[in-house]
Amino acid sequence: MSKKVTKIGVLTSGGDSPGMNAAIRAVVRTAIYHGIDVFGVSRGYNGMIEDEIEQMNSRSVANIIQRGGTILKTARSKEFFTEEGRKKAYENLRKRGIDGLVVIGGNGSFTGAYKLSQEFGIPCVGLPATIDKDLYGTDFTIGFDTAVNTAVSCIDRIRDTADAHDRLFIVEVMGRHAGYIALHSGIATGAENILIPEDETSLDEVIASLSEKEKRKKLVNLVVVAEGHSSGGANGVAEILKSHLPNLDTRVTILGHIQRGGSPTCLDRLIASRMGYHAVESLIEGRHDVMIGIFQNTINFTPIEVAIREKQRMSDDWMRIVKILAS
Amino acid sequence: MSKKVTKIGVLTSGGDSPGMNAAIRAVVRTAIYHGIDVFGVSRGYNGMIEDEIEQMNSRSVANIIQRGGTILKTARSKEFFTEEGRKKAYENLRKRGIDGLVVIGGNGSFTGAYKLSQEFGIPCVGLPATIDKDLYGTDFTIGFDTAVNTAVSCIDRIRDTADAHDRLFIVEVMGRHAGYIALHSGIATGAENILIPEDETSLDEVIASLSEKEKRKKLVNLVVVAEGHSSGGANGVAEILKSHLPNLDTRVTILGHIQRGGSPTCLDRLIASRMGYHAVESLIEGRHDVMIGIFQNTINFTPIEVAIREKQRMSDDWMRIVKILAS
Amino acid sequence: MSKKVTKIGVLTSGGDSPGMNAAIRAVVRTAIYHGIDVFGVSRGYNGMIEDEIEQMNSRSVANIIQRGGTILKTARSKEFFTEEGRKKAYENLRKRGIDGLVVIGGNGSFTGAYKLSQEFGIPCVGLPATIDKDLYGTDFTIGFDTAVNTAVSCIDRIRDTADAHDRLFIVEVMGRHAGYIALHSGIATGAENILIPEDETSLDEVIASLSEKEKRKKLVNLVVVAEGHSSGGANGVAEILKSHLPNLDTRVTILGHIQRGGSPTCLDRLIASRMGYHAVESLIEGRHDVMIGIFQNTINFTPIEVAIREKQRMSDDWMRIVKILAS
Amino acid sequence: MSKKVTKIGVLTSGGDSPGMNAAIRAVVRTAIYHGIDVFGVSRGYNGMIEDEIEQMNSRSVANIIQRGGTILKTARSKEFFTEEGRKKAYENLRKRGIDGLVVIGGNGSFTGAYKLSQEFGIPCVGLPATIDKDLYGTDFTIGFDTAVNTAVSCIDRIRDTADAHDRLFIVEVMGRHAGYIALHSGIATGAENILIPEDETSLDEVIASLSEKEKRKKLVNLVVVAEGHSSGGANGVAEILKSHLPNLDTRVTILGHIQRGGSPTCLDRLIASRMGYHAVESLIEGRHDVMIGIFQNTINFTPIEVAIREKQRMSDDWMRIVKILAS
């Protein structure tokens, strides 16, 4: 059995995602409820190295559940990839007696946590926070629902202007390796085509479908592309389409960073709260080096080294539905 | 084995919920894809009785996925509770050769479908559409996610003015028998107390907690109440609280029907699309008299008489989390 | 010529309105730019009496321009209506050397400022912040645009559900003495009837028009009522309409306090910024005991005793337009 | 005095802007109220040439006041620039007896109207609809308020992620020749710098200010750029800034076409309704070849050839306020 936890640290790391604040709040308040001291580490592992660590109380997290971004700030740390960097970071935890760590972030952040645990025996728990959704062992990641709703409401707007002008719009959403934002926002806005990294459909099919639509005078069309699609994102797709379909009035919009911000949706606040609560409970119960997930409506614990290695698989069902519904 | 389906009807019935249009669209387009004729029945069972039934095509459902309400309109039908009413309704289906029905609605709507099936052998499939979420056999109901996000964004606004004035706000959300909107929106907005029909906590506990907060000068408080709570909704609660805590500056807001409308969230559009697709597939495969659900991320079929009888149970986990996080 | 201003106070008072934070920010930063010390007074005149006054700097107002509510909190003060209360308040200004005051609020707040100026010679400037819009000497008041857009988006939602059910909805918006929110939100949502305190149309006309619509089967109707309408707000109107039109399916929704909160619109942030800037400039130039307004796109100065006494008149044009457009 | 108007046409032309539907609705209903037949011309002058003209009634414009885009569709017509094109267009009006035209659009659209009037004696009235706001003779243009609020809410989101990462964001908003969207959205989001076509501040000043901020560790900064700024929009600005300030973590976001769509704000619906009403009244009163504006809260008529030639001037006040408030 593990020793009792008395002091924990919490940090956000990697790309920010809406709901991180709700997770911080849940971690802090659950810790305090159990009489555990809780310390906020600023700017991810950077702040751990540079000793930007401060004790938090219940008030520190008042009125943040509805805010985008992260009050602890976040960063990607190069120094933490060096042994020396991690040593410095560990020292700053040790001198405060911090004997547990909650890391809110994605894959890269969990890798850092795993190293801290392996090298210095700091018990860690990971909370999956990424707008990309592709983490293993969880049906939900903190931030995805907000990001995809932001994308949907932007694409709804673009549909208005596409309709008014009989135009083809190619909209790029976030997702370097994962197509979940593209898939979900594309279905939800009735996109005629959806291009994702996981499904390397050649553009031939898209060209054929648009060309057929052009013949029957359906000129308003919407293609949603994940930034990581092999043809080079929306601009790459547009170039190819224009060369094959020169008569279509084509426009490109890249949604970009607006997908990261904004007040989190109800779902993101809820899962962040629930996961944050269970992160602390898990440390107390001596279950660590795991990522907390919600899988089939139940709290699920994935060994952190598995969470780092594996990816969430996309259901095949969806691609079939897209083709049938977007006629 | 059942006969091949050739003509189906689709209707929305009972209280409207955001995403019904996305469901209609999916039913219509999947049917057409399979070469099945599809007929829209207006105003629920009322329109079936009064023969307001029209064939739909792919264009009929263009550009509706993002719209609240229902293009087929909805109603609660008294006449359909009589045998004579149902007979008339059936005749209108029969004369068109309709041999399958997709009913989008809640409990009451499914009861109607069940009777049609029992009495006249019309194969029916139900799609769970209710903002209350309490249907059995599905983790999601069409409309809940939108309704609860509307509630959250309203309560966020109320929090602004509560903070500015150091006030106690009692906010009533929808839910006559089910507390899901109250529970989820209350957690997501950091409500200090949540009162739901499923958990008949006496108000004593709320009074004690508010009284203790008054002593330590925490004057801004938020109580979220489901309309069906035994103390008589927000007005009932306010009366009791005022009599015990006369010094608190207390205000009541009843969110009401704004929770029903609005453009559906991404999630509601997705589940409506997925369920609508599977409703038609299910009729084709000869699986009927079932409600389509999504349970643990998988399509789930619940016999419609079970769906009518049972309720979704609320997880206990949540009430504990509420108390710890809202300190 | 007046003495040079060196230290000013700023407060928000009365009902809160979105954009107050933007105004505070502009006052603080303009003062600092001119080398003037600036003090925030909490909870309106209450905080002035109880000496809740703190110096602010540029950082104090960072990241607040987009927030609803007011970081200085607001209140209605009874004690300030007494000479003794005002004396105490003045002492707290005097001991800090505060020689100028910016009061952000409505009529009641300006009355307080006027008394302070008359009795103790404190130069005051008023900024019109009220969601009711009815202040004299300005085309815009801080908060109105946000409140009316909130009302519009709620009523749009209600329209969805009204359409789905063929219902008559009676929606009550804020406005005890002023009908601007009702008028603007009613026109913008295509309301069939609009009932405001300024135009005591008897309900006979509304009944006649609804009755005529019932005959031609136009069953979806929307009546927007200001809370201060003589028939007793939405509930009063509903009772009367139901007694005359018992067959209509009628629902009431009272929007309430959600109209006060929320992130301010662009317009409210802009006018608040512009007015806040000119409030400080005006004190510096020795022009005080005025309310800052924007009238015909130009900064306008109304003597504060005139601002207290007079009301903005509603243009007749609109009521005629309502009748023609909502057919 | 002019002849009595009996049949009018209405069209939307050029770039679409939110509120065009509200304007169409007002034109149609006011015409019908006065017993005038009203015809909708599709796709701007293109549809006039190709005879896509249909009579509208009160129902044609039901439930559109809240919709973005334009139900009449819009386009830029090359053929209409030729005499032959205009001749064909005129023939299609003449054969229906259309003796009045309401053109909803911007500068280019008014030029077309002017030619129709000059060459064929068709009385025209223009309604200013452009998200750019820079038209002469009116304080408001249909669509600007919605576009700028969309920009504001996107930039608010970007601010969240900029804060979380201590980044410099360069956001490009629409405006090829006019900086109003950049100016208003920049002030409303507290942008540190605003770059507009009307004010060719060299980037030296921006570089100096960012460099000074870098020294005092203020790393979160926001620069809002109009697409028409001489340095080549956001990408051009980013390149220059990065070469001078290589240590800043810089990101670019181009908001693009999402600024055109979306449900119009209350203000845009109101001014569109008011202007549409007065457009028809003006034709009836024999006042034509004018653009309807709202200037200093009053309906204003600008001769259409003046409206084409002149531009709205930007107030100097604002640029000064920007510098003081964004410290």
Side-chain angles (χ1 to χ4, degrees):
Chain A
M1 215 209 97
S2 67
K3 296 179 309 183
K4 204 176 147 359
V5 182
T6 57
K7 294 185 178 178
I8 66 172
V10 55
L11 60 85
T12 49
S13 156
D16 62 316
S17 71
M20 281 182 158
N21 281 328
I24 296 168
R25 172 180 178 269
V27 169
V28 169
R29 294 207 167 156
T30 308
I32 288 168
Y33 174 82
H34 286 296
I36 296 171
D37 288 347
V38 56
F39 294 82
V41 181
S42 287
R43 298 192 304 115
Y45 295 110
N46 275 340
M48 197 183 285
I49 292 171
E50 294 173 26
D51 206 20
E52 300 170 14
I53 302 174
E54 279 188 35
Q55 191 163 355
M56 301 179 83
N57 57 39
S58 191
R59 297 257 85 196
S60 322
V61 293
N63 222 7
I64 66 167
I65 195 171
Q66 79 281 20
R67 302 241 172 98
T70 156
I71 59 165
L72 290 178
K73 293 188 182 268
T74 181
R76 290 191 169 83
S77 172
K78 278 180 201 158
E79 202 180 344
F80 199 75
F81 281 107
T82 67
E83 229 187 285
E84 209 190 310
R86 289 194 295 275
K87 187 110 202 286
K88 258 164 87 179
Y90 168 68
E91 275 309 315
N92 291 325
L93 299 184
R94 198 199 48 78
K95 75 181 182 199
R96 281 181 183 81
I98 291 174
D99 50 11
L101 192 66
V102 179
V103 173
I104 304 167
N107 239 315
S109 315
F110 296 160
T111 307
Y114 187 60
K115 296 217 160 176
L116 263 188
S117 165
Q118 294 292 303
E119 295 175 5
F120 303 101
I122 295 279
C124 290
V125 168
L127 292 195
T130 161
I131 62 169
D132 285 342
K133 190 183 189 297
D134 59 339
L135 293 176
Y136 182 81
T138 187
D139 291 335
F140 303 99
T141 63
I142 298 166
F144 172 73
D145 189 57
T146 307
V148 79
N149 272 294
T150 302
V152 163
S153 91
C154 289
I155 301 174
D156 280 351
R157 288 172 183 275
I158 288 170
R159 176 73 83 175
D160 285 344
T161 186
D163 272 343
H165 286 276
D166 288 339
R167 271 176 184 159
L168 166 62
F169 262 92
I170 301 165
V171 181
E172 181 180 305
V173 297
M174 280 191 162
R176 259 179 229 163
H177 309 289
Y180 286 100
I181 296 183
L183 181 70
H184 287 221
S185 68
I187 295 171
T189 56
E192 276 73 13
N193 296 94
I194 301 174
L195 298 167
I196 57 176
E198 290 89 339
D199 176 64
E200 289 301 347
T201 318
S202 95
L203 285 180
D204 293 357
E205 206 175 300
V206 180
I207 293 163
S209 114
L210 287 173
S211 160
E212 179 270 333
K213 275 165 189 154
E214 197 179 1
K215 271 169 211 145
R216 55 179 168 103
K217 297 268 178 198
K218 185 181 182 316
L219 301 172
V220 187
N221 286 289
L222 184 64
V223 178
V224 175
V225 190
E227 64 179 320
H229 187 261
S230 59
S231 50
N235 283 321
V237 170
E239 217 167 295
I240 298 169
L241 294 186
K242 276 182 201 165
S243 72
H244 287 82
L245 302 157
N247 295 325
L248 283 184
D249 188 5
T250 304
R251 291 290 188 283
V252 166
T253 298
I254 296 170
L255 295 187
H257 280 81
I258 53 177
Q259 293 163 86
R260 288 209 175 278
S263 184
T265 58
C266 184
L267 183 63
D268 275 332
R269 301 184 196 186
L270 277 184
I271 59 166
S273 298
R274 194 173 172 197
M275 290 174 174
Y277 166 81
H278 282 289
V280 176
E281 295 283 329
S282 186
L283 279 173
I284 290 172
E285 292 162 12
R287 192 191 303 103
H288 42 71
D289 300 348
V290 293
M291 186 197 84
I292 307 282
I294 297 174
F295 185 63
Q296 299 186 342
N297 261 353
T298 312
I299 286 295
N300 189 45
F301 304 93
T302 304
I304 214 155
E305 73 270 25
V306 178
I308 293 164
R309 208 176 48 225
E310 305 288 330
K311 285 270 169 201
Q312 192 179 138
R313 269 202 64 239
M314 194 172 274
S315 144
D316 299 323
D317 219 22
W318 279 121
M319 292 312 285
R320 186 174 151 80
I321 296 182
V322 171
K323 293 208 171 71
I324 292 177
L325 299 192
S327 49
Chain B
M1 216 208 98
S2 66
K3 297 180 309 181
K4 201 175 149 5
V5 182
T6 58
K7 294 184 178 180
I8 65 171
V10 56
L11 60 85
T12 49
S13 157
D16 62 316
S17 69
M20 281 183 158
N21 281 327
I24 296 168
R25 172 180 178 269
V27 168
V28 169
R29 294 208 166 156
T30 306
I32 288 168
Y33 174 83
H34 287 295
I36 296 171
D37 288 347
V38 56
F39 294 82
V41 181
S42 287
R43 299 193 301 117
Y45 296 109
N46 275 340
M48 197 183 284
I49 293 171
E50 293 173 25
D51 206 19
E52 300 170 14
I53 302 174
E54 279 188 34
Q55 191 164 353
M56 301 179 84
N57 57 38
S58 191
R59 297 258 84 194
S60 322
V61 292
N63 221 7
I64 67 166
I65 196 172
Q66 80 282 21
R67 302 240 172 98
T70 156
I71 59 165
L72 291 177
K73 292 186 182 270
T74 182
R76 290 193 168 80
S77 173
K78 278 178 201 160
E79 202 180 344
F80 199 75
F81 281 107
T82 68
E83 228 187 286
E84 210 189 310
R86 288 194 296 274
K87 188 107 202 288
K88 261 164 85 179
Y90 166 70
E91 275 309 314
N92 290 325
L93 299 184
R94 199 199 47 79
K95 75 180 182 200
R96 282 181 181 82
I98 291 173
D99 48 12
L101 193 65
V102 180
V103 173
I104 304 167
N107 240 315
S109 315
F110 297 161
T111 307
Y114 188 61
K115 298 216 158 175
L116 263 187
S117 165
Q118 294 293 302
E119 296 174 4
F120 304 100
I122 296 279
C124 291
V125 169
L127 292 195
T130 162
I131 62 170
D132 285 341
K133 189 183 190 296
D134 59 338
L135 293 176
Y136 181 81
T138 188
D139 292 335
F140 303 99
T141 64
I142 298 166
F144 172 73
D145 190 57
T146 307
V148 79
N149 272 294
T150 301
V152 163
S153 91
C154 288
I155 301 175
D156 281 350
R157 287 171 183 277
I158 288 170
R159 176 72 83 175
D160 285 344
T161 186
D163 272 343
H165 286 277
D166 288 338
R167 270 175 185 160
L168 166 62
F169 261 93
I170 301 166
V171 181
E172 181 180 306
V173 296
M174 281 191 161
R176 262 180 228 161
H177 308 290
Y180 286 100
I181 295 183
L183 182 70
H184 287 221
S185 67
I187 295 171
T189 56
E192 275 73 14
N193 295 95
I194 301 174
L195 298 167
I196 58 177
E198 291 89 341
D199 176 64
E200 290 301 347
T201 317
S202 96
L203 285 180
D204 294 356
E205 207 176 301
V206 179
I207 292 163
S209 115
L210 286 173
S211 161
E212 179 270 334
K213 275 165 189 155
E214 198 179 0
K215 271 169 212 148
R216 55 179 169 102
K217 296 269 179 196
K218 183 180 181 320
L219 301 172
V220 186
N221 286 288
L222 184 64
V223 178
V224 175
V225 190
E227 65 179 320
H229 186 262
S230 59
S231 50
N235 284 320
V237 171
E239 215 167 296
I240 297 169
L241 294 187
K242 276 182 200 165
S243 74
H244 286 82
L245 302 156
N247 295 325
L248 283 184
D249 189 4
T250 305
R251 291 288 188 285
V252 167
T253 297
I254 296 170
L255 295 187
H257 281 82
I258 53 177
Q259 294 163 86
R260 287 209 176 278
S263 183
T265 59
C266 185
L267 183 63
D268 275 332
R269 301 184 196 186
L270 277 183
I271 60 166
S273 297
R274 193 174 173 197
M275 290 174 173
Y277 166 81
H278 283 287
V280 176
E281 296 284 328
S282 186
L283 280 172
I284 290 172
E285 292 162 12
R287 192 190 304 102
H288 43 71
D289 300 348
V290 294
M291 185 197 86
I292 307 281
I294 296 173
F295 186 62
Q296 299 186 342
N297 261 353
T298 311
I299 287 295
N300 188 48
F301 304 93
T302 304
I304 213 155
E305 73 270 25
V306 178
I308 293 163
R309 209 177 47 225
E310 305 288 330
K311 286 270 169 201
Q312 192 180 137
R313 270 201 65 238
M314 193 171 274
S315 144
D316 299 324
D317 220 22
W318 279 122
M319 292 312 285
R320 184 174 151 81
I321 296 183
V322 170
K323 293 208 171 73
I324 292 178
L325 298 192
S327 48
Chain C
M1 218 208 94
S2 66
K3 296 180 311 182
K4 202 176 148 2
V5 182
T6 59
K7 295 184 177 178
I8 66 171
V10 56
L11 61 84
T12 50
S13 156
D16 63 314
S17 70
M20 282 182 156
N21 281 327
I24 295 168
R25 173 181 177 268
V27 168
V28 169
R29 294 208 166 156
T30 308
I32 288 168
Y33 174 82
H34 286 296
I36 296 171
D37 288 346
V38 56
F39 294 83
V41 182
S42 287
R43 298 193 303 115
Y45 295 110
N46 275 341
M48 198 183 283
I49 293 171
E50 293 172 27
D51 206 19
E52 299 169 15
I53 302 174
E54 278 187 35
Q55 190 162 355
M56 301 178 83
N57 58 39
S58 192
R59 297 257 85 193
S60 323
V61 293
N63 222 7
I64 66 166
I65 195 171
Q66 80 280 21
R67 300 241 173 98
T70 155
I71 58 166
L72 291 178
K73 295 189 179 266
T74 181
R76 290 191 169 82
S77 173
K78 278 179 200 158
E79 202 181 343
F80 198 76
F81 282 106
T82 66
E83 229 187 285
E84 209 190 310
R86 288 194 296 274
K87 187 109 202 287
K88 258 163 86 178
Y90 168 68
E91 275 310 314
N92 291 324
L93 299 183
R94 199 199 48 78
K95 77 180 181 197
R96 283 181 181 81
I98 291 173
D99 49 10
L101 194 66
V102 179
V103 173
I104 305 168
N107 240 314
S109 316
F110 297 161
T111 307
Y114 187 60
K115 295 217 158 173
L116 263 188
S117 164
Q118 293 293 302
E119 296 174 5
F120 304 101
I122 296 279
C124 291
V125 169
L127 293 195
T130 161
I131 62 170
D132 285 341
K133 189 183 189 298
D134 59 338
L135 293 175
Y136 182 81
T138 187
D139 291 335
F140 303 99
T141 63
I142 297 166
F144 172 73
D145 190 56
T146 307
V148 80
N149 273 295
T150 301
V152 163
S153 91
C154 289
I155 301 174
D156 280 351
R157 286 171 184 276
I158 287 170
R159 176 73 82 175
D160 285 343
T161 188
D163 271 343
H165 286 277
D166 288 339
R167 271 176 184 159
L168 165 62
F169 262 92
I170 302 165
V171 181
E172 181 180 307
V173 297
M174 281 191 160
R176 260 182 228 161
H177 308 290
Y180 285 100
I181 295 183
L183 181 71
H184 288 220
S185 68
I187 295 172
T189 56
E192 275 73 14
N193 295 94
I194 300 174
L195 298 167
I196 57 176
E198 292 88 340
D199 176 65
E200 289 302 345
T201 316
S202 96
L203 285 181
D204 293 356
E205 206 175 300
V206 179
I207 293 163
S209 114
L210 287 173
S211 161
E212 180 269 334
K213 275 165 190 155
E214 198 180 0
K215 272 171 211 145
R216 54 179 170 101
K217 296 269 177 196
K218 185 183 181 315
L219 300 172
V220 186
N221 286 288
L222 185 64
V223 178
V224 175
V225 190
E227 64 178 319
H229 186 261
S230 59
S231 50
N235 284 320
V237 171
E239 216 167 295
I240 297 169
L241 294 186
K242 277 181 201 166
S243 74
H244 286 83
L245 303 156
N247 295 325
L248 284 184
D249 189 5
T250 304
R251 290 291 186 285
V252 167
T253 297
I254 296 170
L255 296 187
H257 281 81
I258 54 177
Q259 294 163 85
R260 288 209 175 277
S263 183
T265 59
C266 185
L267 183 63
D268 274 332
R269 301 185 196 185
L270 277 183
I271 59 167
S273 298
R274 193 173 174 196
M275 289 174 173
Y277 166 82
H278 283 289
V280 177
E281 296 283 328
S282 185
L283 279 172
I284 290 173
E285 292 162 12
R287 190 191 305 101
H288 43 71
D289 300 349
V290 293
M291 185 197 85
I292 307 282
I294 297 174
F295 186 61
Q296 299 186 341
N297 262 353
T298 312
I299 287 295
N300 188 46
F301 304 94
T302 304
I304 213 155
E305 73 269 25
V306 178
I308 294 164
R309 208 175 49 226
E310 305 287 330
K311 285 272 168 199
Q312 192 179 137
R313 270 200 66 239
M314 194 172 273
S315 143
D316 299 324
D317 220 22
W318 280 122
M319 291 313 284
R320 185 174 150 80
I321 296 183
V322 171
K323 293 210 171 70
I324 291 177
L325 298 193
S327 48
Chain D
M1 216 208 96
S2 67
K3 297 178 310 181
K4 200 174 148 4
V5 182
T6 58
K7 293 184 179 180
I8 65 171
V10 57
L11 61 84
T12 49
S13 157
D16 63 314
S17 69
M20 281 183 158
N21 281 327
I24 296 167
R25 173 180 178 269
V27 169
V28 169
R29 295 207 166 156
T30 308
I32 289 169
Y33 175 83
H34 286 296
I36 296 171
D37 288 348
V38 57
F39 294 82
V41 181
S42 285
R43 298 193 303 117
Y45 295 110
N46 275 340
M48 198 183 283
I49 293 170
E50 294 172 27
D51 206 19
E52 299 168 16
I53 302 174
E54 279 187 36
Q55 190 162 355
M56 301 178 83
N57 57 39
S58 190
R59 297 258 83 193
S60 323
V61 293
N63 221 7
I64 65 166
I65 195 171
Q66 80 281 22
R67 301 241 171 97
T70 156
I71 60 166
L72 291 177
K73 294 188 181 268
T74 182
R76 291 193 168 80
S77 173
K78 278 180 199 158
E79 202 181 344
F80 199 76
F81 281 106
T82 66
E83 228 186 285
E84 209 189 312
R86 288 193 297 273
K87 188 109 200 288
K88 258 164 87 179
Y90 167 68
E91 275 310 313
N92 291 324
L93 299 184
R94 198 199 47 78
K95 76 181 181 196
R96 283 180 182 81
I98 291 173
D99 50 10
L101 193 66
V102 179
V103 173
I104 305 168
N107 239 316
S109 316
F110 296 160
T111 307
Y114 187 60
K115 297 217 157 174
L116 263 188
S117 165
Q118 294 292 304
E119 296 174 4
F120 305 100
I122 296 280
C124 290
V125 168
L127 292 196
T130 162
I131 62 169
D132 285 341
K133 191 184 189 292
D134 59 338
L135 293 175
Y136 182 81
T138 187
D139 291 334
F140 303 99
T141 64
I142 297 167
F144 172 73
D145 191 56
T146 307
V148 80
N149 273 295
T150 301
V152 163
S153 91
C154 289
I155 301 174
D156 280 350
R157 285 172 184 277
I158 288 171
R159 176 73 82 175
D160 285 343
T161 187
D163 272 342
H165 286 277
D166 288 339
R167 271 175 184 160
L168 166 62
F169 261 93
I170 302 166
V171 181
E172 181 179 306
V173 297
M174 280 191 160
R176 260 181 229 161
H177 308 290
Y180 285 101
I181 295 183
L183 181 71
H184 287 221
S185 68
I187 295 172
T189 56
E192 275 73 14
N193 294 95
I194 300 174
L195 297 166
I196 58 177
E198 291 89 339
D199 176 64
E200 290 301 346
T201 316
S202 96
L203 284 181
D204 294 355
E205 206 175 302
V206 179
I207 293 163
S209 114
L210 286 173
S211 161
E212 179 269 332
K213 275 164 190 155
E214 198 179 0
K215 271 171 212 146
R216 54 179 169 102
K217 297 269 177 195
K218 185 182 181 317
L219 302 172
V220 187
N221 286 288
L222 184 64
V223 178
V224 175
V225 190
E227 64 179 318
H229 186 261
S230 58
S231 49
N235 284 320
V237 170
E239 215 167 297
I240 297 169
L241 293 187
K242 276 182 202 165
S243 73
H244 286 82
L245 302 157
N247 295 324
L248 284 184
D249 189 5
T250 305
R251 291 290 186 284
V252 167
T253 297
I254 296 170
L255 295 187
H257 281 81
I258 53 176
Q259 294 163 85
R260 288 208 175 276
S263 183
T265 59
C266 185
L267 183 63
D268 275 332
R269 301 185 196 186
L270 277 183
I271 60 166
S273 298
R274 192 173 174 197
M275 289 174 174
Y277 167 82
H278 282 289
V280 177
E281 296 283 328
S282 185
L283 279 172
I284 290 172
E285 291 162 13
R287 192 190 304 103
H288 43 71
D289 301 348
V290 293
M291 186 198 84
I292 307 282
I294 297 174
F295 186 63
Q296 298 186 342
N297 261 353
T298 311
I299 287 295
N300 188 46
F301 304 94
T302 304
I304 213 155
E305 73 269 24
V306 177
I308 293 164
R309 208 175 49 225
E310 306 287 331
K311 285 272 170 201
Q312 193 180 137
R313 270 201 64 238
M314 193 172 275
S315 144
D316 300 324
D317 220 21
W318 279 121
M319 292 311 285
R320 184 174 152 80
I321 295 183
V322 171
K323 294 209 170 71
I324 291 176
L325 298 193
S327 46

